Amino acid sequence: MSGDNQIRIGLLSCTNKVRKLSRAINLSPNATISAIATTSSIEEAKSFAKSNNFPPNTKIHSSYESLLEDPDVDAVYFPIPTRLHVEWTTLAATKGKHILLDKPVALNVSEFDQIVEACEVNGVQFMDGTQWMHNPRTVKIKEFVNDLESFGQIKSVYSCFSFAASDDFLKHDIRVKPGLDGLGALGDAGWYTIQAILLVNNFKLPKTVTALSGSVLNDAGIVLSCGALFDWEDGVSATIYCSFLANLTMEITAIGTKGSLRVHDFVIPYMETEAVFTTSGGGCVSEHKVMTVLPQETCMVMEFARLVGEIKNRGAKPDGFWMRFSRNTQLLVDAVKESIDNNLEPVYLSGR
C-alpha cells in the first residue's frame, strides 16, 4: 500500500508498550507512525524514535495536546494509565482522531460510556488493544466452539491468566497503584480471561457474576489475585482466575456436549510464527497448528487501520463491534469487583 493511503498513527509516550506496538505498525502495510508525543525530553523521544526505526519524518511533539492537534495524525494509540483514559480519549475524539486504547478501557463502565459517547458523536473508530483477539488462531477457536457437530452446545468454560510478578512490580507498577490503574490484576490479566469466556459464549452476557473466595488485595485495596463464577440463563457456567502472584498460565478450556477445546498460551503464543490449540471429541484428540505470517499485534494494527481507512477513504461508519465488546468486558470486570467489595455477593446484570 502506498504511503498516501496508509493510516497515520500517533503514539503517546516512549514506553515498552509503545516499543512493541511501533514494531507492529512498521510491519503493517496499511499503517505508519506519523508522530510521537512525550512529556519528558524531546531528545529522549528522538532517540526512542531512531532506536525503534520510526520513519525519518516522524514528528516529535512536546505535549499530548500538540499531537492531538496534528492534522497529519489519523489515529492515536493510548498506552497511558487508566485514570487518564476518559480525559484524553474524549479530547482525541473531538479532534476526529480514531482511538486504539490499552485495556482496561476505563476504571468502570460509566467512565467508558463517556468514551463511547464521544466516539459516536464524532464518528471515530474505537478498538481496545487486546492483541490475542486478532490472532488467526482465535478465528479457528471461534469456528470450533460454534460448530454444533464437533463441539455441540457450550456447557462450561474456564480461563486463567496469571504470572508471578517481581517484588518491584508489586510495589511500583502502575497496575498496583490506586491513583493510576486501580483495577490491578482484574483489569489487567482478568481482562483477557473475561474476553475469552465471552468469545466462547458467542459474546452473550451472563445472568450473574460472583467473585470466588481467596481474593488477595494489597494494602491500597488493589486486586492482586482473584477468581469469579459467571452463570448464563441456559445453564452455562464459566470460571476465571487472574493473578500477579502465580506461575505463568494462559489457559482456556471449553467443554461442549460433543467436544472440548484447550489452549495453553492464548494471551501470547509461545511461538510468534505459529499458534496451537487442542480439540477432543468422539474419542479422538487433535492438535491444530495455525501458522501466523505476522505477529498478532500486527494483525491488530492492520485491522484497526483497515477500519479507519474505510471511514477516511470511503465514508463508512465506524464498526461498533469492538466498542460493544470492550463495554461488555468492562461491565463484567466491574461486576467481579463489586462482588469482591460486597463479601462475594452475586451481582445480577439484568438491565446494565
Side-chain angles (χ1 to χ4, degrees):
M1 179 175 288
S2 68
D4 291 342
N5 291 322
Q6 288 180 313
I7 297 305
R8 303 164 299 177
I9 299 178
L11 307 170
L12 298 192
S13 79
C14 303
T15 62
N16 283 331
K17 288 183 178 180
V18 172
R19 191 185 310 278
K20 183 177 182 180
L21 196 85
S22 67
R23 174 176 179 257
I25 297 171
N26 287 336
L27 290 171
S28 302
N30 60 345
T32 187
I33 299 168
S34 60
I36 186 168
T38 179
T39 55
S40 54
S41 76
I42 293 292
E43 289 306 314
E44 178 187 338
K46 287 180 179 178
S47 175
F48 183 88
K50 183 177 180 180
S51 65
N52 289 284
N53 300 311
F54 285 19
N57 60 344
T58 300
K59 295 182 183 179
I60 310 294
H61 291 274
S62 60
S63 69
Y64 294 171
E65 294 95 336
S66 176
L67 184 145
L68 296 182
E69 294 285 353
D70 190 336
D72 295 321
V73 171
D74 299 311
V76 181
Y77 171 53
F78 293 86
I80 58 177
T82 309
R83 182 180 62 83
L84 303 176
H85 283 186
V86 173
E87 175 187 357
W88 289 105
T89 57
T90 54
L91 180 59
T94 64
K95 304 296 182 182
K97 309 302 185 189
H98 303 277
I99 294 166
L100 182 60
L101 181 63
D102 255 2
K103 51 82 193 129
V105 292
L107 292 174
N108 53 62
V109 78
S110 63
E111 280 197 358
F112 184 60
D113 283 344
Q114 297 177 53
I115 299 172
V116 169
E117 182 180 12
C119 290
E120 291 179 342
V121 166
N122 293 284
V124 302
Q125 181 64 48
F126 174 91
M127 182 181 286
D128 85 44
T130 313
Q131 298 158 10
W132 80 278
M133 284 295 299
H134 302 271
N135 193 300
R137 173 177 62 182
T138 304
V139 175
K140 297 298 183 182
I141 289 171
K142 190 170 183 295
E143 288 176 357
F144 178 75
V145 298
N146 286 329
D147 186 334
L148 293 177
E149 291 300 315
S150 299
F151 184 72
Q153 300 288 340
I154 181 69
K155 300 302 291 183
S156 181
V157 193
Y158 170 73
S159 184
C160 169
F161 182 24
S162 62
F163 57 90
S166 66
D167 289 342
D168 183 71
F169 178 105
L170 295 173
K171 291 177 181 176
H172 303 298
D173 194 89
I174 65 170
R175 285 166 283 187
V176 298
K177 299 291 184 181
L180 295 173
D181 269 15
L183 292 170
L186 176 58
D188 184 49
W191 189 269
Y192 296 93
T193 64
I194 288 172
Q195 287 199 334
I197 66 170
L198 285 173
L199 175 83
V200 173
N201 279 285
N202 203 26
F203 306 107
K204 292 187 295 184
L205 283 170
K207 175 179 64 175
T208 61
V209 179
T210 310
L212 301 176
S213 61
S215 296
V216 179
L217 281 63
N218 67 11
D219 291 341
I222 302 299
V223 175
L224 300 181
S225 180
C226 71
L229 171 67
F230 304 78
D231 288 301
W232 279 258
E233 293 280 0
D234 49 7
V236 176
S237 66
T239 54
I240 66 161
Y241 175 72
C242 55
S243 180
F244 293 155
L245 306 175
N247 183 58
L248 177 62
T249 308
M250 302 179 284
E251 299 273 349
I252 301 173
T253 298
I255 303 169
T257 52
K258 296 182 178 180
S260 300
L261 171 139
R262 291 178 177 83
V263 191
H264 298 299
D265 59 350
F266 83 97
V267 178
I268 304 173
Y270 293 133
M271 290 178 285
E272 192 172 79
T273 55
E274 68 178 49
V276 178
F277 66 98
T278 303
T279 61
S280 59
C284 298
V285 178
S286 302
E287 183 179 84
H288 307 263
K289 289 185 179 181
V290 182
M291 305 311 295
T292 50
V293 177
L294 293 167
Q296 62 185 18
E297 56 268 25
T298 301
C299 296
M300 177 186 71
V301 169
M302 289 174 61
E303 176 61 8
F304 177 64
R306 185 190 69 80
L307 294 172
V308 172
E310 289 292 315
I311 298 167
K312 179 182 178 182
N313 301 319
R314 296 182 175 84
K317 292 184 178 180
D319 185 338
F321 168 78
W322 297 105
M323 193 178 292
R324 292 190 299 272
F325 188 33
S326 294
R327 189 183 191 277
N328 285 346
T329 306
Q330 184 74 54
L331 190 66
L332 297 189
V333 167
D334 291 1
V336 176
K337 184 65 166 61
E338 182 179 338
S339 183
I340 292 171
D341 292 343
N342 289 283
N343 297 314
L344 313 184
E345 286 294 315
V347 174
Y348 296 87
L349 294 180
S350 177
R352 296 199 180 198

